[in-house]
Amino acid sequence: MTAASAPAVRSASALAVATALVTLYVLWGSTYLAIRFALEGYPPFLLGAIRMSIAGALMYVVLRARGTSAPTRKQWRTLAVLSIWMVLLSNGLVNLAETEVGSGIAAIAVASMPLFAGVFAMLRGRHPSRIEWVGLVIGFLGVIWLNAGSELSSSLLGLVCLTIAPIAWAWGSIWSRDQDLPEPFMAASGQMLCGSVWMLLAALLHGERMTEVPPLDATLALAWLITAGSILGFTAYIWLLHHVRPALATSYAYVNPPIAVAFGALLGGEVFTLNDIGAMTVILVGVVIITLARVRAPKST
């Protein structure tokens, strides 16, 4: 997942929109469990480097063949900086966290991203409305509950990684709005390519090595992450940004966590406590309140 600006909305059939939404919800919701499976054969940062380099390269080749302009030198520099936040410190740290915590817990923690985005927007001059403040307070109470009552409380690595990851994603999303970036698909490709370099450097610093051939299940999970998560999922997301209101396109933020929890329980054998489900519910209530408040807010002229 990478940052992208929201273009003008075009008309589309209800069936096409529904199909794109289901695709986005299911594919991105499944990536957390796919990461856990892939980690059975690939170290966390090498996993990210392989995933992002292949997905980014495939997208770049297809886009250039279709006539899309390559990023300028200045845009490449911006993408390199942006990929630190949007790839290394978000996807990379989620990979690292899932070496110790379950995929569903990771998804619940990452669901706090819109809360941090609201805080960063406030620091950059966009003050929340009263309703948004309510959503922020409720959401962060859920984050505190999750950190205190879930398996994160027994994993310092998981706690640190899953605190930094949504903060990094939120900051990158807000910071990118003021930057000169190529069109959204090329921006995604460029971020993945640049991010794969940061991931490889992190893997070297982390001492990661491939000492044996990964098992087939792990490689299939990696292939799923490349195709379903990085290419098809993002394509559906960009298509939605062109055809529906941003609030609907970004609704994955509160739909993916329960889907990821369901995948973890049904396919991964993960067990969730009432604390986990309660914290997720509170976080998502806060995110939904913020989203609805932004939809109803009057546009500035």
Side-chain angles (χ1 to χ4, degrees):
M1 294 184 288
T2 43
S5 58
V9 175
R10 305 170 186 168
S11 61
S13 69
L15 178 60
V17 171
T19 300
L21 283 172
V22 171
T23 299
L24 183 62
Y25 294 161
V26 174
L27 294 187
W28 275 1
S30 71
T31 56
Y32 294 92
L33 184 60
I35 288 171
R36 203 195 88 186
F37 288 157
L39 287 170
E40 295 175 3
Y42 297 87
F45 290 113
L46 275 178
L47 170 63
I50 296 169
R51 172 189 177 183
M52 296 299 171
S53 62
I54 295 176
L58 288 174
M59 286 185 66
Y60 186 86
V61 169
V62 171
L63 289 169
R64 292 292 288 139
R66 292 171 60 90
T68 303
S69 299
T72 64
R73 183 174 299 181
K74 179 182 178 183
Q75 288 173 338
W76 274 119
R77 288 197 296 267
T78 302
L79 290 170
V81 174
L82 185 58
S83 65
I84 297 175
W85 307 104
M86 306 296 291
V87 179
L88 176 64
L89 294 180
S90 53
N91 294 92
L93 291 187
V94 169
N95 289 357
L96 185 59
E98 287 199 38
T99 62
E100 292 194 2
V101 303
S103 63
I105 293 297
I108 295 172
V110 172
S112 64
M113 184 277 294
L115 307 177
F116 292 108
V119 172
F120 289 134
M122 176 182 63
L123 294 177
R124 291 173 68 88
R126 185 191 180 281
H127 298 291
S129 65
R130 290 183 180 179
I131 297 178
E132 286 179 293
W133 272 116
V134 171
L136 286 170
V137 171
I138 291 175
F140 279 116
L141 287 175
V143 172
I144 294 171
W145 185 359
L146 178 69
N147 290 341
S150 72
E151 63 180 288
L152 284 179
S153 60
S154 61
S155 171
L156 178 60
L157 177 66
L159 177 62
V160 171
C161 289
L162 293 176
T163 299
I164 295 175
I167 292 175
W169 182 271
W171 170 249
S173 299
I174 297 299
W175 180 78
S176 66
R177 295 177 184 177
D178 300 324
Q179 307 306 313
D180 175 27
L181 294 171
E183 63 90 24
F185 285 111
M186 184 58 77
S189 172
Q191 284 179 65
M192 286 189 280
L193 288 172
C194 294
S196 67
V197 176
W198 295 120
M199 289 277 207
L200 183 58
L201 290 174
L204 293 174
L205 292 174
H206 197 231
E208 297 179 359
R209 298 289 186 274
M210 297 289 291
T211 58
E212 58 185 18
V213 177
L216 178 60
D217 288 350
T219 300
L220 290 175
L222 171 58
W224 179 260
L225 289 169
I226 293 170
T227 56
S230 295
I231 298 177
L232 297 179
F234 193 79
T235 299
Y237 177 55
I238 295 297
W239 186 89
L240 284 166
L241 285 177
H242 279 82
H243 293 87
V244 301
R245 297 186 66 179
L248 181 58
T250 58
S251 60
Y252 73 86
Y254 46 85
V255 177
N256 283 166
I259 289 179
V261 166
F263 275 121
L266 296 175
L267 301 179
E270 297 179 2
V271 178
F272 299 91
T273 67
L274 290 177
N275 273 337
D276 301 334
I277 302 301
M280 177 180 71
T281 302
V282 173
I283 291 172
L284 297 184
V285 166
V287 171
V288 170
I289 290 174
I290 291 172
T291 302
L292 293 177
R294 289 174 180 170
V295 170
R296 295 175 180 175
K299 296 182 179 180
S300 58
T301 56

